[in-house]
Amino acid sequence: MCGIVGFIGDHQAAPILLDGLSKLEYRGYDSAGLAVRNGTDPAEVVKTVGRLKNLAEKTDDGKALPGCCGIGHTRWATHGEPSQVNAHPHVSGNCTGSGSGKVESEVVGVHNGIIENYKELKEKLIRNGYTFYSDTDTEVIIKLVDYYYKKYIQDPIDAIMKTMVRVRGSYAIELMFKDHPGEIWAARKGSPMIIGVSDGETYIASDVPAILKYTRKVYYIGDLQCAKITAGDVHFYDLNGDEVTIEPTEIKWDAESAEKGGYEHFMIKEIHEQPKAVEDTLASVIKDGAIDLSECGLSDEQIKDISAITIVACGSAWHVGMTLQYAIEDLTRLPVRVELASEFRYRNPILDPRSLVIVISQSGETADTLEALRLAKSHGIKTLAIVNVVGSTIAREADNVFYTLAGPEIAVATTKAYSAQLAAGYTIAVHFGFVRGTIDREQYDAYIADLNTIPAKIQKILEDKERLQWFAAKFAHIRDAFFIGRGIDYSTCLEGSLKMKEISYIHSEAYAAGELKHGTISLIEDQTLVIGVLTQNKLYEKTVSNMVECKSRGAYLMGIASYGKYEVEDHCNFVTYVPSIDPHFSASLAVVPLQLLGYYISIARGLDADKPRNLAKSVTVE
Ligand code: F6R
């Protein structure tokens, strides 16, 4: 939610900031802004509403903003509507017009996150003579820094530390002080921020893709820490103002993976990257035909001792949990609960001390998932995080981490990270089952052999995408869609339905096929699209019957079935087939046509599949 960038070095800052923001636009895209300083001159601010291209146009691709030091922001509105005056950067002093122009104020800054006590702080600042121009919580934090800066000894560290002690909520902030040219100051709590250093230049960003082109040497600034950033150097301080040492991390992602590489959208590129994402994730733990989870820190003794598993996540990651519930329970006979992080964190969950809490998150920054993790840890429960982004907050705070190797995922709607999360979860299911003795050696070998076929099978589905493209164009006008299935197929429906609605804005619902007649079937009308997922051999005929019940009420039926189940065509109007696989792993295949369907319907409706309205990639607010 919101992306921030910063640069200081020998080059012109504005083009680098615009380039960085273009890699972060997935985090928010309702307005954007830059503040750039030329030497000791005050900073100049430019802000625009709408997509980043408006800011690029207004600044002549950055050329109209000379200077080698600057900060930038792309916004996903929380406090205050998307408007120029609410766009960042914000300033500590008076604001002229809608906020663009030379900054005469002491402090100018950008912020990602939410300041929970902004109202009380705003009142305090108004009492102290400050005037507010925007509806944002960000303006409060910038003015609070200014307040402490002026009240005490005109020292940025002191002012920032006092502000950090006073504010509640989450933030990654970047600040420039008028009296401190050649410096950018940054601080964070809860919201992500990285600092990259190369020869004589320093970069700041919310996420790795924004700086990958320039450097791979990255520092992860800790919670409640602040940083003084100068050209080619960075110093970190804790809440007492004492300097702390942070070791840099080497980023392994290649720069091309954060580019579209000839595809029209990141989403379709990432759909095509799924075979590699799954293959790399599986290969990271399957060695010489055996699963080795030692790098995740789980010993066989610990696995044998586990009494139950709770999986906690949001959105698509929660759908992964739903699929894994079926697979893990069946293969390990351990009871598995799957919880929405936003619900789990406010309940008073009953957790057995010997249970394991697995949190799943692509970004590793989702606020609710992070708080759920902290809650589990506060109960003394062992935690394992399945995370894609190396060094993210969830990865750092969990007891154990299983990194998915999907590479950077840019499209807002997840595809390859979802598939990599499933792959990671399957290896946990098979390994736990074997260690706990609920599957024997022969079954173990067979499951591993089947897992290794997933990448090639996804590739095969992708080769037949034209039929789905045709079907999507035919159904792009629909108002409603229903996805039905049983068991693991139901969990695949949850994801297929979300993929369709979030990027095409078509109302869709996923239903356990047997539940439909308990109410929802009344919504079926002539030509309503009903999509049935039919990969579970034991349940397949029952789902087909439920589909036929819909057809009798006028529905148009689409089926997703395994190769060989050609009799489905006797009932469905349109069928797409996926290769056969052990039913525990079928979600990895059945989801691919549903991702393609969602994508192609969005394109046929003329929408931007990468940046659906009202959404942001990384949800760092609750
Ligand atoms: C949907 C989607 C979201 C995320 C959810 C959790 O396509 O991407 O539902 O799955 O916001 O995000 P992470 O995995 O980053 O915790």
Side-chain angles (χ1 to χ4, degrees):
M1 322 233 99
C2 300
I4 62 173
V5 290
F7 171 77
I8 181 161
D10 290 335
H11 291 86
Q12 289 297 302
I16 292 172
L17 298 174
L18 284 170
D19 180 57
L21 287 178
S22 73
K23 306 289 186 317
L24 297 181
E25 224 190 343
Y26 69 85
R27 300 178 64 87
Y29 31 82
D30 56 41
S31 53
L34 300 176
V36 175
R37 257 191 114 155
N38 199 2
T40 53
D41 287 355
E44 179 154 5
V45 169
V46 179
K47 316 201 249 189
T48 53
V49 177
R51 294 281 166 93
L52 191 61
K53 67 176 174 25
N54 300 348
L55 186 63
E57 271 165 26
K58 195 165 173 182
T59 59
D60 189 16
D61 289 324
K63 292 195 271 297
L65 271 180
C68 298
C69 172
I71 56 181
H73 187 269
T74 179
R75 181 166 185 248
W76 186 86
T78 53
H79 296 76
E81 54 162 14
S83 69
Q84 200 168 315
V85 78
N86 286 334
H88 304 209
H90 289 282
V91 297
S92 57
N94 294 338
C95 165
T96 45
S98 50
S100 290
K102 280 269 184 217
V103 176
E104 294 309 328
S105 313
E106 188 52 57
V107 189
V108 53
V110 294
H111 161 230
N112 164 214
I114 287 203
I115 305 305
E116 287 164 10
N117 55 339
Y118 80 101
K119 281 202 182 119
E120 115 202 7
L121 295 172
K122 190 170 181 174
E123 280 159 20
K124 167 193 163 83
L125 288 164
I126 289 171
R127 284 198 300 278
N128 280 279
Y130 284 86
T131 306
F132 284 83
Y133 300 88
S134 75
D135 303 319
T136 65
D137 51 345
T138 303
E139 198 182 351
V140 175
I141 202 169
I142 306 296
K143 288 188 157 103
L144 192 63
V145 171
D146 181 72
Y147 169 79
Y148 287 126
Y149 183 78
K150 289 182 175 140
K151 183 165 178 190
Y152 296 102
I153 44 171
Q154 313 264 308
D155 173 9
I157 297 195
D158 240 42
I160 294 170
M161 293 312 172
K162 287 197 164 53
T163 304
M164 286 166 88
V165 170
R166 198 71 177 75
V167 298
R168 288 198 308 274
S170 63
Y171 50 84
I173 47 170
E174 289 175 284
L175 305 164
M176 292 193 292
F177 292 77
K178 193 162 133 203
D179 300 343
H180 294 263
E183 294 173 8
I184 299 174
W185 288 81
R188 82 172 274 272
K189 181 185 163 260
S191 302
M193 179 158 60
I194 52 163
I195 296 163
V197 177
S198 69
D199 278 351
E201 315 210 288
T202 311
Y203 305 80
I204 310 156
S206 302
D207 197 1
V208 171
I211 62 174
L212 203 52
K213 178 157 140 189
Y214 309 106
T215 180
R216 277 149 194 293
K217 188 178 159 193
V218 160
Y219 295 88
Y220 290 94
I221 173 172
D223 256 352
L224 290 176
Q225 288 181 348
C226 109
K228 175 184 176 180
I229 294 142
T230 51
D233 203 7
V234 55
H235 292 267
F236 298 97
Y237 305 90
D238 65 16
L239 212 47
N240 299 319
D242 295 332
E243 187 157 355
V244 288
T245 306
I246 297 181
E247 291 304 325
T249 302
E250 176 82 10
I251 299 293
K252 303 245 165 47
W253 293 351
D254 60 73
E256 293 78 56
S257 54
E259 305 288 340
K260 276 193 210 151
Y263 287 92
E264 199 185 338
H265 292 98
F266 279 110
M267 183 172 174
I268 190 71
K269 173 176 176 256
E270 288 162 6
I271 287 174
H272 281 84
E273 285 172 346
Q274 291 183 107
K276 181 161 169 22
V278 173
E279 187 171 340
D280 289 353
T281 302
L282 290 175
S284 71
V285 292
I286 302 180
K287 288 164 189 151
D288 300 325
I291 296 169
D292 176 1
L293 296 185
S294 56
E295 277 198 25
C296 312
L298 286 172
S299 69
D300 287 1
E301 281 59 45
Q302 285 170 329
I303 292 168
K304 281 182 196 152
D305 190 50
I306 292 169
S307 60
I309 293 177
T310 303
I311 302 178
V312 193
C314 299
S316 294
W318 179 76
H319 299 160
V320 170
M322 289 292 286
T323 303
L324 295 180
Q325 178 181 39
Y326 293 101
I328 298 177
E329 276 196 342
D330 202 42
L331 298 182
T332 68
R333 304 315 296 152
L334 276 169
V336 180
R337 282 188 74 142
V338 186
E339 303 252 10
L340 289 165
S342 54
E343 291 295 313
F344 177 83
R345 62 179 287 198
Y346 290 116
R347 258 194 20 240
N348 188 8
I350 300 168
L351 295 166
D352 186 285
R354 283 172 43 236
S355 66
L356 173 71
V357 167
I358 302 180
V359 297
I360 307 177
S361 175
Q362 186 286 128
S363 62
E365 301 293 347
T366 301
D368 285 322
T369 312
L370 176 60
E371 288 308 323
L373 170 75
R374 288 175 177 162
L375 178 69
K377 286 184 71 176
S378 73
H379 280 67
I381 307 296
K382 198 160 189 54
T383 56
L384 167 67
I386 300 178
V387 178
N388 196 44
V389 177
V390 175
S392 54
T393 311
I394 291 177
R396 282 182 287 154
E397 292 197 12
D399 299 316
N400 306 97
V401 183
F402 187 145
Y403 277 115
T404 50
L405 299 184
E409 190 177 64
I410 312 289
V412 165
T414 183
T415 52
K416 64 174 179 171
Y418 165 90
S419 288
Q421 288 163 354
L422 278 181
Y426 298 152
T427 62
I428 291 171
V430 174
H431 184 67
F432 279 26
F434 187 53
V435 169
R436 294 173 64 87
T438 47
I439 60 174
D440 63 22
R441 178 92 227 179
E442 200 182 325
Q443 290 167 311
Y444 176 75
D445 289 342
Y447 286 133
I448 291 177
D450 238 16
L451 284 177
N452 283 326
T453 67
I454 296 175
K457 287 176 178 169
I458 295 178
Q459 187 60 45
K460 195 161 169 51
I461 300 167
L462 292 173
E463 281 157 17
D464 191 27
K465 57 180 185 268
E466 281 74 19
R467 270 182 88 236
L468 279 164
Q469 194 168 0
W470 166 84
F471 183 79
K474 197 167 139 66
F475 276 82
H477 63 280
I478 57 172
R479 197 189 59 186
D480 308 292
F482 293 85
F483 292 72
I484 64 170
R486 287 170 182 254
I488 282 179
D489 286 338
Y490 166 52
S491 70
T492 310
C493 287
L494 290 167
E495 179 61 6
S497 170
L498 180 59
K499 286 289 89 84
M500 179 177 283
K501 72 182 126 195
E502 68 181 329
I503 55 171
S504 72
Y505 316 148
I506 291 171
H507 161 249
S508 76
E509 288 190 39
Y511 251 78
E515 271 295 295
L516 207 64
K517 56 173 141 324
H518 296 285
T520 311
I521 200 164
S522 65
L523 296 173
I524 305 294
E525 293 175 354
D526 196 31
Q527 293 300 295
T528 303
L529 179 62
V530 174
I531 299 173
V533 181
L534 300 161
T535 68
Q536 301 295 301
N537 280 344
K538 277 199 288 192
L539 300 166
Y540 150 89
E541 282 176 356
K542 293 190 186 301
T543 304
V544 169
S545 306
N546 299 134
M547 291 175 79
V548 171
E549 286 159 11
C550 296
K551 195 176 188 183
S552 318
R553 286 151 182 88
Y556 183 99
L557 298 186
M558 171 181 177
I560 297 181
S562 303
Y563 287 163
K565 291 280 181 196
Y566 302 119
E567 67 275 14
V568 176
E569 296 193 16
D570 296 342
H571 307 290
C572 293
N573 305 85
F574 179 85
V575 184
T576 192
Y577 294 96
V578 296
S580 302
I581 194 157
D582 182 275
H584 296 97
F585 313 138
S586 67
S588 290
L589 307 185
V591 78
V592 180
L594 299 179
Q595 295 168 338
L596 289 166
L597 186 64
Y599 172 75
Y600 285 128
I601 287 190
S602 166
I603 300 308
R605 287 165 75 96
L607 301 169
D608 183 346
D610 279 348
K611 299 186 190 98
R613 68 185 178 205
N614 306 339
L615 292 176
K617 179 79 181 156
S618 178
V619 184
T620 53
V621 294
E622 61 174 289

